[in-house]
Amino acid sequence: MKTVKKVADGLVLYDECNTRAVHPPLRSNANLDFTDASLIINSGRIDMDTFSYHDLVFELHNGYVPRHETDVGGISIYRGAQSQALFEYYAQGETAVVPYVKLVKHGEVYYGYGSEDGQVWEDKGHVVFGHADKIGITVKGTTPYELYSLKVYKKEYITLYAVLPGWKVKVWQNGSIVADEAITAEHCRLALAAYPFTGDIAIYDEQGNPVVQDKLVEAWGGDEYCCTLDVDLLTEDDVPLAADVERHLGNLVDGTIKSVYKVRNNRHEAVAAVLRIAPYSPFKDWAMLAEDHDGKAGAYENEILLHIPGGAERTFWLRVKRPPDAGFVDYDFKKTECLFYLEVV
């Protein structure tokens, strides 16, 4: 059985407004008051830089009700000091609270939403606003803006990688199905109603057999998960090999590099792990793997199968060696990186 392992975080900021402070990446240019459970913006604005985000979700829980025609409060987008676009969720003369509002950025298009419960969202329209550099909250007039929480995350959905077309994924929360999707590519996007999300997830193959039965704990939009065995790759000294970090193994001074690594099974049940040099690796023919037999390497192959008992480790060898028929001309092997990728499948 595989697991869904988080490989990238989507959360930018989650502020429950109970610390009597404005937290980075937000900056304040406003007249503020604080209570034990809210941030009160009397006038001015608080905002954050957004030029580095192509996609972003800016979501508020508030108690703001404009009481005069000149009162304005809500999520704003800014372009420099002169231009701004304000999303206003209240019709003229309206006094009802719209407690949840959010702005979803997709490139230069900004979509506004309102909600009574933070679960079901009503489309409030969109604007195209090029070269914006900030998103925040602007308050003008005589009515303060009371903010109970602020969530900023990277996307409206989570992404699952290392899945296959024909598989299916289901997500439950409190016993109710909240997502049921057929997978059509080698990744899958799941848009959940509210974040952070905690619930159960299951992935099934074409025959309906479970591939994954796991939990999502405080998942945020923009989180990325890999459907994989729950194992860790470690150096001989128990240093984790991060999946997204390049590692320099040394120079081919004598034509060969040999290293010893370990794979650790984090589950209680035994697993069969296939370790391989990814077929898309530029130098896939240079790197080979071998099982360890009492401190010595077995036969070197492009991939090896290791049976690992629950909670146990297995040692394996990695050899990097230039093939005799490499065919490179005028190639400086001492100064040029020979890239390959190690996978667990």
Side-chain angles (χ1 to χ4, degrees), residues 39-42 60 62 64 73-74 101 137 139 143-147:
L39 164 64
I40 299 174
I41 309 172
N42 296 300
L60 310 178
N62 74 95
Y64 178 70
V101 293
I137 306 168
V139 181
T143 303
Y145 193 100
E146 189 165 15
L147 182 65

Side-chain angles (χ1 to χ4, degrees), residues 329-344:
V329 179
D330 298 328
Y331 197 90
D332 189 344
F333 298 105
K334 294 184 178 180
K335 296 181 180 179
T336 304
E337 298 286 336
C338 305
L339 298 177
F340 63 91
Y341 305 95
L342 179 60
E343 291 183 331
V344 181

Side-chain angles (χ1 to χ4, degrees), residues 12-13 15 21-32 34 39 41 43-53 58 76 78-81 132-139 147 150 152:
V12 177
L13 173 67
D15 190 347
V22 174
H23 300 285
L26 291 177
R27 293 189 303 267
S28 174
N29 186 19
N31 178 2
L32 303 175
F34 299 93
L39 164 64
I41 309 172
S43 62
R45 79 188 206 196
I46 59 174
D47 57 47
M48 60 173 284
D49 293 331
T50 57
F51 52 83
S52 61
Y53 297 98
F58 195 92
S76 306
Y78 311 100
R79 180 177 55 222
D133 52 22
K134 292 180 177 62
I135 291 178
I137 306 168
T138 297
V139 181
L147 182 65
L150 170 63
V152 186

